[in-house]
Amino acid sequence: MATTVALNRRNLYIFPSLTGLCVFTLSSILWLLGTSYQNNLVLALSYLLVSLMMVAIFHTYANLAGLTIKVLGVKPVFANETAYFSLQLSAAQHKHYENLTIRWWQGEAACFDLQPGQVLPIQVALDAQKRGILTPGKLLIESRFPLGVIRCWTWVNLQTSAVVFPRPLKVPFPVQLGCGNAGENGTGGQGMEDFDGLKVYRPGDPIKHIAWKHYAREKGLYSKQYSAQLQQDCWLDWQDFAHFEVEQRLSAICYWVLQFERTQQPYGLIMPDTQIKPAIGEQHRLTVLTLLARFNLARGV
């Protein structure tokens, strides 16, 4: 497995397509008829068809040789969504590539053309049916240009994978004493009653708590601290969702991660073997959701 693969005679395969097999069969019949009845026109037509197939072999091979495929990356997705793997295709100098097809083993095909020396970013789709780590398998690249009678193809084993988060499942939030207003509405509001001073701003602090007047006076970037704030960080505890099945638990926790991010409510995560301290922000969200996606993958759920 590699992140960059160049196509050449060592990894390209050629064989007549279904149309090519039909043409070859037709040329064989014409040859038999021309030989049996000593008809030069029929023989000439037979030889012409065979010649076209021989020429098509070289042109079809040249339409893939020299192409380079490089992995750029893939963004995480939720279960039952489509993952888009970003690839970069680089054409050789002084060569046109026409009517190429690319797809994963069980994915949708995409067609493209390349000009000489062109670098083309392309996204190849694959459905993510369940949470975990999505390994797309081998990538098929093929060409039947120019006549469609010869198929040239290769299977490329690229080193790439996508993180698939659990599908969010909307459930009521478990009642917690230290989770602010996350009860009836489950929004998890911050304690705003008692102002307790300022603290140096840290990435991830809610934007609504920034002391903008203090910042406007060029005294630095600070966040407002409230006396009840430390008691109102919410915890997403694995045991609080014990009445659900394992996958439903993960989906329920995933839903509340998104809710707390939306309302800028700091939250932590308690899993059977791991604990993540309360925080907020994109990096914290990715850390928590990735942990949910990878839960019990090694030993099976």
Side-chain angles (χ1 to χ4, degrees):
M1 298 178 67
T3 56
T4 303
V5 175
L7 304 186
N8 50 51
R9 58 186 177 84
R10 295 182 179 180
N11 51 22
L12 289 175
Y13 306 94
I14 298 178
F15 198 78
S17 64
L18 180 60
T19 303
L21 291 175
C22 293
V23 172
F24 181 77
T25 302
L26 176 60
S27 64
S28 300
I29 294 174
L30 291 176
W31 182 82
L32 290 175
L33 291 174
T35 302
S36 300
Y37 294 97
Q38 298 182 354
N39 190 319
N40 291 332
L41 285 178
V42 175
L43 286 174
L45 180 57
S46 174
Y47 296 152
L48 176 62
L49 293 177
V50 173
S51 300
L52 289 176
M53 290 192 63
M54 296 297 294
V55 172
I57 291 176
F58 297 99
H59 282 276
T60 306
Y61 168 80
N63 198 45
L64 273 183
L67 186 68
T68 302
I69 303 98
K70 181 181 179 180
V71 176
L72 296 181
V74 55
K75 293 183 178 180
V77 296
F78 293 93
N80 293 334
E81 290 185 347
T82 301
Y84 292 93
F85 293 81
S86 297
L87 306 177
Q88 178 180 284
L89 306 175
S90 302
Q93 297 294 336
H94 312 297
K95 285 189 65 175
H96 290 269
Y97 296 86
E98 300 185 48
N99 197 23
L100 301 183
T101 302
I102 185 170
R103 67 175 176 86
W104 297 111
W105 177 266
Q106 295 179 334
E108 297 181 358
C111 298
F112 61 94
D113 299 329
L114 285 174
Q115 300 299 319
Q118 181 182 0
V119 177
L120 176 68
I122 189 173
Q123 291 187 330
V124 187
L126 183 64
D127 291 337
Q129 298 180 356
K130 60 181 181 179
R131 64 100 185 171
I133 305 300
L134 176 62
T135 302
K138 293 185 177 182
L139 181 73
L140 172 66
I141 306 175
E142 65 176 338
S143 170
R144 303 185 186 214
F145 180 85
L147 300 179
V149 294
I150 299 295
R151 177 178 179 247
C152 182
W153 79 97
T154 185
W155 287 100
V156 180
N157 200 7
L158 295 174
Q159 185 176 354
T160 182
S161 60
V163 178
V164 182
F165 303 143
R167 184 179 183 181
L169 176 64
K170 185 176 181 180
V171 298
F173 189 80
V175 177
Q176 294 182 359
L177 295 178
C179 195
N181 299 325
E184 182 178 355
N185 298 325
T187 56
Q190 285 278 2
M192 299 294 291
E193 298 83 3
D194 302 319
F195 177 72
D196 196 36
L198 298 175
K199 65 175 182 177
V200 178
Y201 174 80
R202 296 179 303 175
D205 288 347
I207 296 179
K208 61 182 179 181
H209 288 176
I210 296 178
W212 294 109
K213 293 182 179 180
H214 205 77
Y215 179 72
R217 296 170 186 166
E218 299 184 354
K219 294 184 178 181
L221 189 59
Y222 292 86
S223 295
K224 298 177 183 179
Q225 181 73 44
Y226 298 90
S227 58
Q229 182 173 339
L230 296 178
Q231 301 177 356
Q232 302 217 0
D233 290 339
C234 289
W235 286 93
L236 293 167
D237 194 334
W238 176 258
Q239 297 301 329
D240 289 342
F241 298 88
H243 51 290
F244 292 110
E245 298 291 338
V246 172
E247 292 300 326
Q248 290 180 327
R249 283 202 216 186
L250 296 172
S251 295
I253 294 175
C254 176
Y255 170 79
W256 281 106
V257 167
L258 301 180
Q259 288 298 106
F260 288 141
E261 286 289 343
R262 183 178 61 84
T263 59
Q264 292 292 290
Q265 165 69 52
Y267 61 95
L269 178 65
I270 301 176
M271 298 295 285
D273 300 324
T274 310
Q275 178 173 317
I276 300 178
K277 295 181 180 180
I280 199 73
E282 181 64 17
Q283 186 58 48
H284 182 64
R285 182 184 75 92
L286 289 176
T287 300
V288 172
L289 292 180
T290 301
L291 180 62
L292 296 178
R294 294 177 177 271
F295 180 73
N296 266 359
L297 288 185
R299 53 187 173 181
V301 175

